[in-house]
Amino acid sequence: MAFVCVQNAGRSQMATAFAQRERDRREASDQIEIITGGTRPADHVHDVVVEAMRERDIDLSDRTPREVTPEELQAVDLVVTMGCSAADVCPATWNGENRDWGLDDPHERPLKEVREIRDEIERRVVALFDELLSETGSTE
């Protein structure tokens, strides 16, 4: 699966971190590969996002936003965009599933609002893992 947005500096970084944690908790690393990227990556993860995630014992301070490539997206079954159109993200020949979570961009928002976005992302990631792992017949 891929978590993608424009800057890869907020929502997609939070979703990726929660997904990595959830994958480890469920011992599903052999079943689920996670990538993240942006179409126009920022220079760094937004400071307010780093702060909000630190409250969940997840350190994003060492992560660097990166560009996602069409080749990477070709290799995954599911692309989750964060509230930006998938048109710029998914190649025309891509046959995988795309979901857009329609989340507000945390950039330059107060910490209180970023916490709300973070908590919504965490809920959605857990629900996604519930769905994906029930489809494969895996249990926790």
Side-chain angles (χ1 to χ4, degrees), residues 35-109:
I35 63 169
T36 190
T39 55
R40 292 187 301 278
D43 294 330
H44 62 279
V45 176
H46 303 310
D47 292 337
V48 69
V49 170
V50 172
E51 183 178 350
M53 292 299 284
R54 192 171 287 131
E55 295 175 354
R56 290 285 191 266
D57 295 321
I58 296 174
D59 183 9
L60 297 182
S61 64
D62 63 344
R63 300 208 183 181
T64 303
R66 58 180 293 278
E67 187 171 354
V68 67
T69 67
E71 294 78 22
E72 287 175 313
L73 296 179
Q74 289 283 346
V76 299
D77 296 324
L78 173 63
V79 173
V80 179
T81 52
M82 301 287 124
C84 39
S85 170
D88 293 339
V89 173
C90 301
T93 58
W94 184 63
N95 294 320
E97 181 183 354
N98 173 251
R99 298 182 191 183
D100 187 86
W101 283 357
L103 299 162
D104 291 332
D105 187 348
H107 185 56
E108 297 185 353
R109 291 189 183 258

Side-chain angles (χ1 to χ4, degrees), residues 22-28 126 129-130 133 139-140:
E22 201 63 23
R23 180 183 63 187
D24 291 346
R25 283 182 175 170
R26 298 178 189 230
E27 299 178 356
V126 169
F129 270 76
D130 288 344
L133 293 176
T139 57
E140 288 187 50

Side-chain angles (χ1 to χ4, degrees), residues 26 31 127-139:
R26 298 178 189 230
Q31 299 169 11
L128 180 61
F129 270 76
D130 288 344
E131 174 190 336
L132 294 175
L133 293 176
S134 71
E135 289 174 359
T136 63
S138 295
T139 57

